[in-house]
Amino acid sequence: MPVSEYRYKRRVQFADTDLAGVVHFSWIARYLEEAEHALWRNAGLSIVPADSPVSFPRVALSIEFKAPLFFEDEFEVHVRLTGVSKRSLTYAHTITRGDTVIATGTMTAVCVSKSPAPMKAVEIPAEILARLEIHPST
Amino acid sequence: MPVSEYRYKRRVQFADTDLAGVVHFSWIARYLEEAEHALWRNAGLSIVPADSPVSFPRVALSIEFKAPLFFEDEFEVHVRLTGVSKRSLTYAHTITRGDTVIATGTMTAVCVSKSPAPMKAVEIPAEILARLEIHPST
Amino acid sequence: MPVSEYRYKRRVQFADTDLAGVVHFSWIARYLEEAEHALWRNAGLSIVPADSPVSFPRVALSIEFKAPLFFEDEFEVHVRLTGVSKRSLTYAHTITRGDTVIATGTMTAVCVSKSPAPMKAVEIPAEILARLEIHPST
Amino acid sequence: MPVSEYRYKRRVQFADTDLAGVVHFSWIARYLEEAEHALWRNAGLSIVPADSPVSFPRVALSIEFKAPLFFEDEFEVHVRLTGVSKRSLTYAHTITRGDTVIATGTMTAVCVSKSPAPMKAVEIPAEILARLEIHPST
């Protein structure tokens, strides 16, 4: 069955923090991507298999930071697929620690051919599209 | 004189890249922050002096990625202060490599008291506001 | 019962890789630390609780890299406590992916008072020492 | 003329720090590599030109951490080439902030063919060896 969402669980590591004593904002962006790749694995896919002719660079990212995350906090990234077009995928994310919303985000990735450079948008392979679908709440 | 913009120059380091052969998108977010802090230094300020009672966590981040950056590329982040309120600062950024636009972004940081946790928004100290001003093109 | 070792499991994330297509060597160093902190949690400890008067910066690190790690690889870090003195802890690590040894390492951390700066070596609190012990194979 | 050393200058960025208020030790390892690559550029080389058949993964790393580095500190990495063999290069590094020694390190990188995987040690191309030489103090 196609996959439209995933709940990715993670713990804050020491190297994710900065001198303000909280998770550095760039790590929040990485958590969104880790959740996206976990959604792909849950769909039986890898976002970059060793021999893939395509890759999926981000073209847009937007995050609102609501509350700080601390060292060793356990949290969840709920990622939903909110848009699927021939050449791109859009995700919405909510990061929570228990009942506290830490951040919300959206991210759009586009399918590009790996060579020749510069990257050129191409159609998402059918075998990938067959395993992903838009989240019903969208 | 108050500062409203800065042109920050940087070279891509090896650890900034990922297996797709380009700069990882989370590094683009870090470049925006490096430019912001360089703007502060250019205004005679540090964003977190050792004894500061406040810090400036991000509350919003938005980036559009236009073209890839590669290992050892030299690039520029042009950061402008586009919004100043009692408690927050908003920046707009353009990253370029020569004539190529790599990314554009906006970021909002809010002034918070460092203790007690959780972070609470407070007014930006007057001696900081005196050294910053909104960019005329805004 | 005191803890002397831990087997930490982890998957390689996209942001851990570099343009050579493998995990960047600095991430191997981070994996060693993640395993150390997991050992502490398994002993009922946090290496930096919010109100701790001490912290444990590294004073020595040595790694031999034997084989590359790739995106999405699942691997294990086996960390053993090989030295305990009044003021320092020494660990030995072996990273494996299945039967393949990826890297071996040693790391020494010293107990320091958090303030005033600069960091000064102090004795490890007794309640921490009570929960850790040297690995029998040492 | 062949190059045997380089003095690489750098400023600590916010994202290099951790909750202990100092530069995370994994960043010290990255600084060593940044200095190595700067030495190569100073020799008219890139360590991984786009079309290179070889790359230079690290096989050994050793660091002693002597003093903490703080946000916005300006520091220097003095890297010397201390060993050159047919297939490997060894470097020694000293990181200083003014008169304070922050860390010393050694690193060995081996020349490998980029494909097919797994990486296989090969001879360093002659045009690279012609531009590098062992530091006279070695």
Side-chain angles (χ1 to χ4, degrees), chain C residues 19-20 22 24-27 29-30 33 48 55 58-65 68 70 107 117-119, chain D residues 19-20 22 24-27 29-30 33 48 55 58-65 68 70 107 117-119:
Chain C
L19 67 84
V22 300
H24 190 258
F25 80 104
S26 64
W27 270 100
R30 290 183 177 181
E33 185 183 52
V48 267
S55 69
R58 277 85 258 275
V59 293
L61 168 71
S62 182
I63 306 178
E64 293 195 16
F65 306 92
F70 299 98
M107 194 184 269
M119 299 173 177
Chain D
L19 67 84
V22 300
H24 190 258
F25 79 104
S26 64
W27 270 100
R30 290 182 178 181
E33 186 184 52
V48 268
S55 68
R58 276 87 259 274
V59 293
L61 168 71
S62 183
I63 307 178
E64 293 194 17
F65 306 92
F70 299 98
M107 194 184 272
M119 299 173 176

Short mmCIF file of all heavy atoms in Angstrom, two decimals, chain C residues 19-20 22 24-27 29-30 33 48 55 58-65 68 70 107 117-119, chain D residues 19-20 22 24-27 29-30 33 48 55 58-65 68 70 107 117-119:
data_model
loop_
_atom_site.label_atom_id
_atom_site.label_comp_id
_atom_site.label_asym_id
_atom_site.label_seq_id
_atom_site.Cartn_x
_atom_site.Cartn_y
_atom_site.Cartn_z
N LEU C 19 30.79 14.42 -0.25
CA LEU C 19 30.77 14.26 -1.71
C LEU C 19 31.53 13.03 -2.18
O LEU C 19 31.40 12.62 -3.35
CB LEU C 19 31.28 15.53 -2.40
CG LEU C 19 32.75 15.92 -2.23
CD1 LEU C 19 33.63 15.18 -3.24
CD2 LEU C 19 32.88 17.41 -2.48
N ALA C 20 32.33 12.40 -1.30
CA ALA C 20 32.99 11.15 -1.67
C ALA C 20 32.00 9.98 -1.60
O ALA C 20 32.36 8.85 -1.92
CB ALA C 20 34.21 10.90 -0.79
N VAL C 22 30.56 8.74 1.09
CA VAL C 22 30.66 7.96 2.33
C VAL C 22 30.45 8.87 3.54
O VAL C 22 30.38 10.10 3.40
CB VAL C 22 32.05 7.28 2.43
CG1 VAL C 22 32.26 6.34 1.23
CG2 VAL C 22 33.17 8.32 2.50
N HIS C 24 31.36 11.19 6.40
CA HIS C 24 32.51 12.06 6.66
C HIS C 24 33.19 11.63 7.96
O HIS C 24 32.52 11.29 8.93
CB HIS C 24 32.04 13.51 6.76
CG HIS C 24 33.17 14.49 6.78
ND1 HIS C 24 33.61 15.08 7.94
CD2 HIS C 24 33.98 14.94 5.80
CE1 HIS C 24 34.63 15.88 7.66
NE2 HIS C 24 34.86 15.82 6.37
N PHE C 25 34.52 11.69 7.98
CA PHE C 25 35.25 11.16 9.14
C PHE C 25 34.88 11.87 10.45
O PHE C 25 34.95 11.26 11.52
CB PHE C 25 36.77 11.23 8.89
CG PHE C 25 37.37 12.58 9.11
CD1 PHE C 25 38.10 12.86 10.25
CD2 PHE C 25 37.20 13.60 8.19
CE1 PHE C 25 38.66 14.11 10.47
CE2 PHE C 25 37.75 14.86 8.39
CZ PHE C 25 38.48 15.11 9.54
N SER C 26 34.47 13.13 10.38
CA SER C 26 34.09 13.84 11.61
C SER C 26 32.85 13.21 12.24
O SER C 26 32.62 13.32 13.45
CB SER C 26 33.87 15.32 11.33
OG SER C 26 32.77 15.51 10.46
N TRP C 27 32.03 12.58 11.41
CA TRP C 27 30.84 11.90 11.93
C TRP C 27 31.20 10.63 12.68
O TRP C 27 30.51 10.25 13.63
CB TRP C 27 29.84 11.62 10.80
CG TRP C 27 28.91 12.77 10.65
CD1 TRP C 27 28.96 13.78 9.75
CD2 TRP C 27 27.82 13.06 11.53
NE1 TRP C 27 27.96 14.68 9.99
CE2 TRP C 27 27.25 14.26 11.07
CE3 TRP C 27 27.27 12.44 12.64
CZ2 TRP C 27 26.13 14.84 11.71
CZ3 TRP C 27 26.18 13.02 13.27
CH2 TRP C 27 25.62 14.21 12.80
N ALA C 29 33.71 10.39 14.59
CA ALA C 29 34.01 10.92 15.92
C ALA C 29 32.72 11.19 16.71
O ALA C 29 32.63 10.91 17.91
CB ALA C 29 34.85 12.18 15.81
N ARG C 30 31.72 11.71 16.01
CA ARG C 30 30.45 11.97 16.70
C ARG C 30 29.75 10.67 17.12
O ARG C 30 29.11 10.62 18.17
CB ARG C 30 29.53 12.80 15.81
CG ARG C 30 30.02 14.22 15.62
CD ARG C 30 29.05 15.04 14.79
NE ARG C 30 29.51 16.42 14.69
CZ ARG C 30 28.86 17.38 14.04
NH1 ARG C 30 27.71 17.11 13.43
NH2 ARG C 30 29.34 18.60 13.99
N GLU C 33 31.00 9.54 20.42
CA GLU C 33 30.43 10.31 21.52
C GLU C 33 28.97 9.92 21.77
O GLU C 33 28.53 9.81 22.93
CB GLU C 33 30.52 11.81 21.24
CG GLU C 33 30.05 12.64 22.42
CD GLU C 33 30.05 14.13 22.15
OE1 GLU C 33 29.46 14.57 21.13
OE2 GLU C 33 30.63 14.87 22.94
N VAL C 48 25.46 15.51 30.93
CA VAL C 48 25.30 16.93 31.31
C VAL C 48 23.88 17.23 31.74
O VAL C 48 23.12 17.86 31.00
CB VAL C 48 25.69 17.92 30.20
CG1 VAL C 48 27.11 18.36 30.31
CG2 VAL C 48 25.34 17.40 28.82
N SER C 55 31.34 19.28 33.71
CA SER C 55 31.13 18.72 32.37
C SER C 55 32.36 17.89 32.02
O SER C 55 33.35 17.88 32.76
CB SER C 55 30.84 19.82 31.35
OG SER C 55 31.98 20.61 31.13
N ARG C 58 36.47 16.41 26.02
CA ARG C 58 37.46 15.45 25.57
C ARG C 58 38.86 16.06 25.66
O ARG C 58 39.02 17.26 25.34
CB ARG C 58 37.23 15.14 24.07
CG ARG C 58 36.19 14.11 23.76
CD ARG C 58 34.82 14.78 23.72
NE ARG C 58 34.08 14.53 24.95
CZ ARG C 58 33.37 13.44 25.15
NH1 ARG C 58 33.21 12.57 24.19
NH2 ARG C 58 32.77 13.23 26.29
N VAL C 59 39.84 15.29 26.09
CA VAL C 59 41.22 15.77 26.04
C VAL C 59 42.05 14.99 25.03
O VAL C 59 43.12 15.44 24.62
CB VAL C 59 41.91 15.74 27.42
CG1 VAL C 59 41.25 16.77 28.35
CG2 VAL C 59 41.86 14.36 28.05
N ALA C 60 41.57 13.81 24.64
CA ALA C 60 42.31 13.03 23.64
C ALA C 60 41.35 12.19 22.84
O ALA C 60 40.34 11.70 23.35
CB ALA C 60 43.34 12.13 24.31
N LEU C 61 41.65 12.06 21.55
CA LEU C 61 40.82 11.29 20.61
C LEU C 61 41.76 10.64 19.62
O LEU C 61 42.69 11.29 19.11
CB LEU C 61 39.88 12.23 19.85
CG LEU C 61 39.17 11.63 18.64
CD1 LEU C 61 38.11 10.63 19.08
CD2 LEU C 61 38.52 12.74 17.80
N SER C 62 41.54 9.36 19.35
CA SER C 62 42.33 8.67 18.35
C SER C 62 41.42 7.70 17.62
O SER C 62 40.66 6.97 18.25
CB SER C 62 43.48 7.92 19.03
OG SER C 62 44.28 7.30 18.06
N ILE C 63 41.45 7.75 16.29
CA ILE C 63 40.58 6.88 15.49
C ILE C 63 41.38 6.26 14.35
O ILE C 63 42.19 6.94 13.71
CB ILE C 63 39.39 7.66 14.88
CG1 ILE C 63 38.62 8.42 15.98
CG2 ILE C 63 38.44 6.71 14.15
CD1 ILE C 63 37.45 9.24 15.43
N GLU C 64 41.17 4.97 14.11
CA GLU C 64 41.65 4.34 12.88
C GLU C 64 40.44 3.97 12.04
O GLU C 64 39.52 3.30 12.52
CB GLU C 64 42.50 3.11 13.20
CG GLU C 64 43.79 3.51 13.89
CD GLU C 64 44.81 2.38 13.91
OE1 GLU C 64 44.67 1.41 13.14
OE2 GLU C 64 45.76 2.50 14.71
N PHE C 65 40.46 4.42 10.79
CA PHE C 65 39.34 4.20 9.88
C PHE C 65 39.68 3.01 9.00
O PHE C 65 40.68 3.04 8.28
CB PHE C 65 39.10 5.45 9.05
CG PHE C 65 38.93 6.71 9.87
CD1 PHE C 65 40.01 7.51 10.19
CD2 PHE C 65 37.68 7.07 10.35
CE1 PHE C 65 39.87 8.66 10.96
CE2 PHE C 65 37.51 8.23 11.12
CZ PHE C 65 38.61 9.01 11.42
N PRO C 68 34.74 2.12 4.67
CA PRO C 68 33.75 3.20 4.60
C PRO C 68 32.37 2.77 5.07
O PRO C 68 32.01 1.59 4.97
CB PRO C 68 33.73 3.54 3.10
CG PRO C 68 34.18 2.29 2.41
CD PRO C 68 35.13 1.60 3.35
N PHE C 70 28.24 3.77 4.46
CA PHE C 70 27.44 4.39 3.42
C PHE C 70 26.06 4.81 3.93
O PHE C 70 25.59 4.33 4.97
CB PHE C 70 27.27 3.40 2.26
CG PHE C 70 28.57 2.99 1.63
CD1 PHE C 70 29.18 1.80 1.99
CD2 PHE C 70 29.21 3.82 0.71
CE1 PHE C 70 30.40 1.42 1.43
CE2 PHE C 70 30.42 3.45 0.15
CZ PHE C 70 31.02 2.25 0.51
N MET C 107 39.10 7.43 23.40
CA MET C 107 38.74 8.80 23.74
C MET C 107 38.92 8.97 25.24
O MET C 107 38.54 8.09 26.00
CB MET C 107 37.28 8.99 23.36
CG MET C 107 36.81 10.41 23.32
SD MET C 107 35.02 10.44 22.95
CE MET C 107 35.03 10.52 21.17
N ALA C 117 35.24 30.02 34.11
CA ALA C 117 36.14 29.70 33.01
C ALA C 117 37.50 30.27 33.35
O ALA C 117 37.60 31.28 34.05
CB ALA C 117 35.60 30.28 31.72
N PRO C 118 38.62 29.75 32.89
CA PRO C 118 38.68 28.58 32.04
C PRO C 118 38.46 27.30 32.83
O PRO C 118 38.67 27.26 34.03
CB PRO C 118 40.10 28.61 31.49
CG PRO C 118 40.88 29.29 32.57
CD PRO C 118 39.95 30.31 33.16
N MET C 119 38.03 26.27 32.11
CA MET C 119 37.72 24.97 32.70
C MET C 119 38.89 24.44 33.52
O MET C 119 40.03 24.46 33.06
CB MET C 119 37.45 23.99 31.57
CG MET C 119 36.28 24.37 30.69
SD MET C 119 36.23 23.21 29.30
CE MET C 119 34.75 23.77 28.44
N LEU D 19 26.41 22.82 23.77
CA LEU D 19 25.78 23.36 24.99
C LEU D 19 26.77 23.61 26.11
O LEU D 19 26.43 24.27 27.10
CB LEU D 19 24.63 22.45 25.44
CG LEU D 19 24.94 21.04 25.94
CD1 LEU D 19 25.31 21.06 27.42
CD2 LEU D 19 23.72 20.17 25.76
N ALA D 20 27.99 23.07 26.01
CA ALA D 20 29.00 23.38 27.02
C ALA D 20 29.59 24.77 26.79
O ALA D 20 30.42 25.24 27.57
CB ALA D 20 30.10 22.32 27.03
N VAL D 22 31.42 25.80 24.25
CA VAL D 22 32.70 25.80 23.54
C VAL D 22 32.54 25.09 22.19
O VAL D 22 31.52 24.50 21.90
CB VAL D 22 33.79 25.09 24.38
CG1 VAL D 22 33.97 25.80 25.72
CG2 VAL D 22 33.43 23.62 24.61
N HIS D 24 32.58 22.25 19.68
CA HIS D 24 32.45 20.80 19.82
C HIS D 24 33.70 20.12 19.26
O HIS D 24 34.23 20.55 18.23
CB HIS D 24 31.22 20.31 19.06
CG HIS D 24 30.88 18.87 19.33
ND1 HIS D 24 31.19 17.87 18.47
CD2 HIS D 24 30.30 18.30 20.41
CE1 HIS D 24 30.79 16.71 18.98
NE2 HIS D 24 30.24 16.94 20.15
N PHE D 25 34.16 19.06 19.91
CA PHE D 25 35.43 18.45 19.51
C PHE D 25 35.43 17.95 18.06
O PHE D 25 36.48 17.92 17.42
CB PHE D 25 35.81 17.31 20.48
CG PHE D 25 35.08 16.02 20.23
CD1 PHE D 25 35.74 14.96 19.62
CD2 PHE D 25 33.76 15.86 20.57
CE1 PHE D 25 35.08 13.77 19.36
CE2 PHE D 25 33.09 14.67 20.33
CZ PHE D 25 33.75 13.62 19.72
N SER D 26 34.27 17.58 17.54
CA SER D 26 34.24 17.12 16.14
C SER D 26 34.58 18.24 15.18
O SER D 26 35.05 18.01 14.07
CB SER D 26 32.86 16.54 15.80
OG SER D 26 31.85 17.53 15.89
N TRP D 27 34.35 19.47 15.60
CA TRP D 27 34.71 20.62 14.77
C TRP D 27 36.22 20.83 14.73
O TRP D 27 36.75 21.30 13.72
CB TRP D 27 33.99 21.89 15.24
CG TRP D 27 32.69 22.01 14.53
CD1 TRP D 27 31.44 21.69 14.98
CD2 TRP D 27 32.52 22.43 13.17
NE1 TRP D 27 30.51 21.88 14.00
CE2 TRP D 27 31.13 22.34 12.88
CE3 TRP D 27 33.37 22.87 12.17
CZ2 TRP D 27 30.60 22.68 11.63
CZ3 TRP D 27 32.85 23.21 10.93
CH2 TRP D 27 31.49 23.11 10.67
N ALA D 29 38.30 18.47 14.58
CA ALA D 29 38.70 17.55 13.51
C ALA D 29 38.44 18.16 12.13
O ALA D 29 39.24 18.03 11.20
CB ALA D 29 37.96 16.22 13.67
N ARG D 30 37.31 18.85 12.01
CA ARG D 30 37.00 19.48 10.71
C ARG D 30 37.97 20.62 10.40
O ARG D 30 38.32 20.85 9.24
CB ARG D 30 35.56 20.00 10.71
CG ARG D 30 34.54 18.87 10.68
CD ARG D 30 33.12 19.40 10.62
NE ARG D 30 32.17 18.29 10.53
CZ ARG D 30 30.87 18.44 10.44
NH1 ARG D 30 30.33 19.65 10.42
NH2 ARG D 30 30.06 17.38 10.36
N GLU D 33 40.99 19.33 8.74
CA GLU D 33 40.77 19.02 7.33
C GLU D 33 40.68 20.29 6.48
O GLU D 33 41.20 20.35 5.37
CB GLU D 33 39.50 18.18 7.16
CG GLU D 33 39.31 17.72 5.72
CD GLU D 33 38.01 16.97 5.52
OE1 GLU D 33 36.93 17.50 5.89
OE2 GLU D 33 38.03 15.88 4.96
N VAL D 48 39.83 17.19 -4.32
CA VAL D 48 38.89 16.40 -5.15
C VAL D 48 38.36 17.21 -6.31
O VAL D 48 37.21 17.66 -6.28
CB VAL D 48 37.68 15.86 -4.36
CG1 VAL D 48 37.93 14.48 -3.82
CG2 VAL D 48 37.25 16.81 -3.28
N SER D 55 40.51 9.70 -4.62
CA SER D 55 40.16 10.57 -3.49
C SER D 55 41.07 10.19 -2.30
O SER D 55 41.83 9.23 -2.39
CB SER D 55 38.69 10.47 -3.13
OG SER D 55 38.37 9.22 -2.60
N ARG D 58 40.61 9.61 5.08
CA ARG D 58 41.47 9.52 6.24
C ARG D 58 41.55 8.05 6.71
O ARG D 58 40.51 7.37 6.72
CB ARG D 58 40.85 10.31 7.42
CG ARG D 58 41.12 11.78 7.42
CD ARG D 58 40.05 12.49 6.56
NE ARG D 58 40.61 12.81 5.26
CZ ARG D 58 41.30 13.92 5.02
NH1 ARG D 58 41.46 14.82 5.94
NH2 ARG D 58 41.82 14.13 3.84
N VAL D 59 42.70 7.60 7.11
CA VAL D 59 42.81 6.27 7.73
C VAL D 59 43.20 6.38 9.20
O VAL D 59 43.03 5.42 9.95
CB VAL D 59 43.79 5.35 6.98
CG1 VAL D 59 43.24 5.01 5.59
CG2 VAL D 59 45.17 5.98 6.88
N ALA D 60 43.73 7.50 9.61
CA ALA D 60 44.08 7.67 11.02
C ALA D 60 43.96 9.13 11.41
O ALA D 60 44.25 10.03 10.62
CB ALA D 60 45.50 7.18 11.29
N LEU D 61 43.50 9.34 12.64
CA LEU D 61 43.32 10.68 13.19
C LEU D 61 43.65 10.63 14.66
O LEU D 61 43.22 9.71 15.36
CB LEU D 61 41.86 11.10 13.03
CG LEU D 61 41.43 12.35 13.80
CD1 LEU D 61 42.05 13.60 13.19
CD2 LEU D 61 39.90 12.48 13.80
N SER D 62 44.41 11.59 15.13
CA SER D 62 44.71 11.66 16.55
C SER D 62 44.75 13.13 16.96
O SER D 62 45.39 13.94 16.29
CB SER D 62 46.07 10.99 16.83
OG SER D 62 46.33 11.00 18.21
N ILE D 63 44.04 13.47 18.02
CA ILE D 63 43.98 14.87 18.47
C ILE D 63 44.14 14.93 19.98
O ILE D 63 43.57 14.11 20.70
CB ILE D 63 42.63 15.54 18.10
CG1 ILE D 63 42.33 15.38 16.61
CG2 ILE D 63 42.63 17.01 18.49
CD1 ILE D 63 40.99 15.98 16.19
N GLU D 64 44.94 15.89 20.44
CA GLU D 64 44.96 16.23 21.86
C GLU D 64 44.38 17.63 22.02
O GLU D 64 44.81 18.57 21.34
CB GLU D 64 46.39 16.16 22.42
CG GLU D 64 46.92 14.74 22.43
CD GLU D 64 48.17 14.57 23.27
OE1 GLU D 64 48.47 15.45 24.11
OE2 GLU D 64 48.84 13.54 23.07
N PHE D 65 43.40 17.72 22.88
CA PHE D 65 42.69 18.98 23.10
C PHE D 65 43.28 19.64 24.34
O PHE D 65 43.24 19.07 25.43
CB PHE D 65 41.20 18.70 23.29
CG PHE D 65 40.59 17.90 22.17
CD1 PHE D 65 40.53 16.51 22.23
CD2 PHE D 65 40.09 18.52 21.04
CE1 PHE D 65 39.98 15.76 21.20
CE2 PHE D 65 39.54 17.78 20.00
CZ PHE D 65 39.49 16.39 20.08
N PRO D 68 39.93 25.22 25.52
CA PRO D 68 38.68 25.41 24.75
C PRO D 68 38.76 26.59 23.78
O PRO D 68 39.47 27.56 24.01
CB PRO D 68 37.64 25.67 25.84
CG PRO D 68 38.41 26.22 27.00
CD PRO D 68 39.77 25.60 26.93
N PHE D 70 36.17 29.39 21.82
CA PHE D 70 34.86 29.98 22.06
C PHE D 70 34.30 30.66 20.80
O PHE D 70 35.04 30.98 19.87
CB PHE D 70 34.97 31.01 23.19
CG PHE D 70 35.42 30.40 24.48
CD1 PHE D 70 36.76 30.49 24.88
CD2 PHE D 70 34.52 29.73 25.30
CE1 PHE D 70 37.18 29.92 26.07
CE2 PHE D 70 34.95 29.15 26.50
CZ PHE D 70 36.28 29.25 26.88
N MET D 107 47.12 13.36 11.19
CA MET D 107 46.11 12.78 10.34
C MET D 107 46.83 12.11 9.17
O MET D 107 47.77 12.68 8.62
CB MET D 107 45.23 13.92 9.83
CG MET D 107 43.95 13.49 9.19
SD MET D 107 43.07 14.95 8.53
CE MET D 107 42.12 15.47 9.96
N ALA D 117 33.84 0.49 -6.10
CA ALA D 117 33.84 0.30 -4.64
C ALA D 117 34.09 -1.17 -4.37
O ALA D 117 33.74 -2.02 -5.20
CB ALA D 117 32.51 0.75 -4.06
N PRO D 118 34.66 -1.60 -3.25
CA PRO D 118 35.13 -0.73 -2.19
C PRO D 118 36.45 -0.07 -2.56
O PRO D 118 37.19 -0.54 -3.40
CB PRO D 118 35.31 -1.69 -1.02
CG PRO D 118 35.65 -2.98 -1.67
CD PRO D 118 34.86 -3.01 -2.95
N MET D 119 36.70 1.05 -1.91
CA MET D 119 37.89 1.86 -2.15
C MET D 119 39.16 1.00 -2.04
O MET D 119 39.33 0.26 -1.10
CB MET D 119 37.97 2.94 -1.08
CG MET D 119 36.78 3.88 -1.09
SD MET D 119 36.93 4.97 0.36
CE MET D 119 35.51 6.07 0.09
#
